[in-house]
Amino acid sequence: YSQNNETGEWDKKNFRRRFSYDENMNDTLVLYSRIEENTNEWVDQAKVTRKYNAENKTLTQENIIFERSRTRFEETFNDDHKTIQMVNSRWNYNMSEWLHISKNRYSYNTDGTLQSDSLYIMYSISGTKMWKLVGKTEYTYDTEGKLVEDITYQQNWTDENTSDGWHFVNNKTYTYTPEGEIKEFMHYVWHPDSAQVIPHKRELTTYYTDKHTIYSFHKFDWDQDLNQWKETELKQYDNFENGFPEKCYTEIYGNTPSTSFQLFTYNYDLNKDQLILPTIGLNANETALFHHLIDKKFDYRADNETNTSTKTLESDYFYEDVETMNINDLEAGAGVRIYPNPASEYVLVRFNKKDNVLFKLYDINGKCLLTKNIKSNERINVSTLPSGFYIFSLIANGNKATGKLVKE
């Protein structure tokens, strides 16, 4: 909502997002709408739709801006349910058909980590369309299975059989805290004028005393003239009155500096483990601060010179009840047992249902690490996970149960 100039109330409808889910609680639709001031009716502006396979993996995702553009991503999986190909297409309104633009092919190490990502572009050479390999990214991991570097190369094609060969484009490095959280991201690029690799971007993340909750997020660009880093953005999460962050402060530096913050209010009777949240459509601040049910969000623009702030938007969040239970209730009703817990190599889930149950595993920040349809007593490998606490959920017939898993 924005402010009603006539009444002064914050009840002027402005923007709306709506989310839809399937019976397995997969988000299938995000619909973006704006209010038409002349009619005071909602007008749909854009939408994102998803379709899933039997393993609840995304088969297709369409991104539509009405009357402007329509794109689609299609995924193909191997027997281990890992993505081996993703095709990007664009809808041609004049021809009323999908046109392939690019595709990525993925290969994996024996431990299941991503080994390489190959990029193909649809070329038109001598009137013939063909896929040509133009880029590749190779990934390196540490002994704990965490990504520490990726290097990207590219080549250009002058005709059907001739390319200029592989040459370095950029590389990215990742460092972590002792608790396994991302600490620093560095991005280096090839600078053709100086014929050397130079820094490009840097991101630095700091954490609160629990060593997992994000405190601040800094972005930097490399200033080649001054030969030093220049901070471009700061995000800081604070307001820990209830033991959880409730505010995101954002400062943008540079030629058009700005300062703003978002303040969230919560229903602390329901935590994140008891909510079904979408995997698409939430912004970064919402994702970071959705630790409990969000009631409202207030957007402010700040003036550092006068030390004042002005409210610019007010948002309400609406929810629909689903039948949810904790894991103890589910165990009593469905004969569920999860063991061993704590676990080091694997975990087994036993239940009375003959049908498959959807198993999802999250880290303590709410990032989904695994989604899998499982049968009773099916072994789930957790050996590559860092030691710590995790949240799992079991979903069957629209019911959801949650619990905690300890990885030793």
Side-chain angles (χ1 to χ4, degrees):
Y1 302 91
S2 55
Q3 190 173 28
N4 189 318
N5 293 329
E6 296 180 358
T7 66
E9 299 294 327
W10 288 84
D11 58 2
K12 185 178 179 181
K13 294 178 181 179
N14 188 340
F15 174 77
R16 181 178 68 181
R17 290 173 302 179
R18 287 188 292 173
F19 303 91
S20 297
Y21 304 83
D22 62 19
E23 62 181 7
N24 291 321
M25 307 301 176
N26 298 310
D27 41 341
T28 57
L29 171 69
V30 185
L31 185 61
Y32 301 88
S33 308
R34 285 196 176 276
I35 203 72
E36 172 59 53
E37 291 192 9
N38 294 331
T39 63
N40 201 35
E41 298 289 337
W42 288 109
V43 177
D44 296 336
Q45 302 287 311
K47 70 176 180 179
V48 180
T49 62
R50 276 184 177 178
K51 294 181 180 179
Y52 299 84
N53 62 13
E55 295 295 329
N56 293 286
K57 297 287 187 178
T58 303
L59 281 176
T60 62
Q61 176 175 315
E62 286 192 27
N63 306 301
I64 301 172
I65 302 177
F66 293 113
E67 300 180 358
R68 287 182 56 188
S69 66
R70 183 181 178 188
T71 59
R72 181 178 69 185
F73 298 92
E74 300 173 277
E75 294 189 49
T76 306
F77 304 90
N78 61 16
D79 292 339
D80 294 325
H81 312 298
K82 292 185 177 296
T83 302
I84 57 174
Q85 180 172 278
M86 180 179 292
V87 179
N88 175 24
S89 304
R90 175 176 52 82
W91 181 255
N92 186 303
Y93 286 91
N94 294 327
M95 301 171 62
S96 296
E97 64 179 14
W98 289 104
L99 299 180
H100 295 320
I101 305 299
S102 64
K103 69 178 178 181
N104 294 76
R105 288 182 175 174
Y106 307 94
S107 61
Y108 298 86
N109 299 306
T110 55
D111 62 358
T113 53
L114 182 63
Q115 180 184 61
S116 64
D117 170 6
S118 300
L119 172 64
Y120 295 77
I121 297 294
M122 179 64 75
Y123 271 71
S124 180
I125 301 177
S126 300
T128 302
K129 292 185 177 181
M130 61 185 70
W131 289 112
K132 302 300 290 185
L133 178 62
V134 299
K136 62 180 180 180
T137 302
E138 299 171 347
Y139 301 87
T140 303
Y141 302 83
D142 63 15
T143 56
E144 297 180 350
K146 294 192 292 292
L147 177 66
V148 293
E149 184 179 36
D150 62 66
I151 303 176
T152 299
Y153 306 87
Q154 74 176 30
Q155 62 179 351
N156 299 304
W157 294 85
T158 56
D159 58 46
E160 182 177 349
N161 300 309
T162 307
S163 75
D164 59 359
W166 290 110
H167 53 275
F168 173 90
V169 177
N170 63 67
N171 79 299
K172 303 168 186 175
T173 62
Y174 310 82
T175 57
Y176 301 84
T177 67
E179 293 71 33
E181 304 292 350
I182 184 69
K183 178 173 68 175
E184 186 177 50
F185 162 81
M186 297 281 287
H187 184 197
Y188 302 87
V189 298
W190 176 256
H191 190 257
D193 293 340
S194 61
Q196 63 180 346
V197 178
I198 63 170
H200 181 51
K201 291 185 180 294
R202 179 187 182 214
E203 297 177 359
L204 181 65
T205 306
T206 63
Y207 298 85
Y208 276 95
T209 54
D210 67 359
K211 301 180 181 180
H212 295 287
T213 302
I214 295 176
Y215 170 68
S216 65
F217 183 72
H218 302 255
K219 288 185 177 181
F220 304 84
D221 285 346
W222 181 254
D223 189 320
Q224 192 173 359
D225 294 331
L226 298 176
N227 200 38
Q228 66 183 22
W229 289 110
K230 178 178 62 178
E231 189 166 13
T232 58
E233 182 179 343
L234 165 67
K235 282 185 181 290
Q236 183 171 307
Y237 301 96
D238 53 22
N239 272 36
F240 273 71
E241 295 182 4
N242 292 283
F244 296 90
E246 298 179 339
K247 177 182 177 182
C248 178
Y249 168 90
T250 302
E251 186 151 359
I252 305 296
Y253 307 100
N255 296 330
T256 56
S258 65
T259 303
S260 61
F261 62 90
Q262 293 180 325
L263 182 63
F264 295 80
T265 63
Y266 294 86
N267 176 353
Y268 277 94
D269 292 334
L270 293 171
N271 62 41
K272 186 173 186 175
D273 302 336
Q274 299 169 288
L275 303 174
I276 304 294
L277 296 177
T279 58
I280 49 175
L282 296 181
N283 62 44
N285 291 346
E286 290 172 316
T287 300
L289 295 174
F290 233 123
H291 46 76
H292 287 79
L293 186 148
I294 295 176
D295 281 322
K296 285 181 172 291
K297 175 172 67 74
F298 304 91
D299 288 73
Y300 292 85
R301 182 178 60 252
D303 188 329
N304 292 333
E305 293 184 0
T306 62
N307 198 29
T308 59
S309 60
T310 303
K311 186 163 66 170
T312 57
L313 288 174
E314 184 175 311
S315 303
D316 288 334
Y317 292 74
F318 301 92
Y319 303 82
E320 187 173 70
D321 289 336
V322 295
E323 187 174 348
T324 305
M325 61 195 81
N326 62 43
I327 194 63
N328 294 325
D329 294 336
L330 186 64
E331 288 174 352
V336 173
R337 183 186 175 200
I338 297 181
Y339 63 96
N341 191 4
S344 58
E345 299 294 328
Y346 63 90
V347 64
L348 292 168
V349 183
R350 187 173 68 187
F351 47 87
N352 292 335
K353 287 178 58 62
K354 295 182 180 180
D355 298 331
N356 289 358
V357 169
L358 181 62
F359 177 87
K360 291 188 176 185
L361 186 66
Y362 304 85
D363 64 18
I364 61 172
N365 294 316
K367 179 182 178 181
C368 186
L369 307 175
L370 174 65
T371 298
K372 185 178 183 181
N373 273 318
I374 61 171
K375 298 178 180 179
S376 182
N377 283 324
E378 183 171 341
R379 178 176 294 196
I380 301 169
N381 183 13
V382 296
S383 61
T384 60
L385 295 176
S387 299
F389 291 93
Y390 296 85
I391 303 297
F392 65 86
S393 67
L394 300 172
I395 300 173
N397 298 327
N399 296 329
K400 177 184 177 182
T402 62
K404 293 182 180 180
L405 173 67
V406 179
K407 170 62 167 59
E408 294 182 322

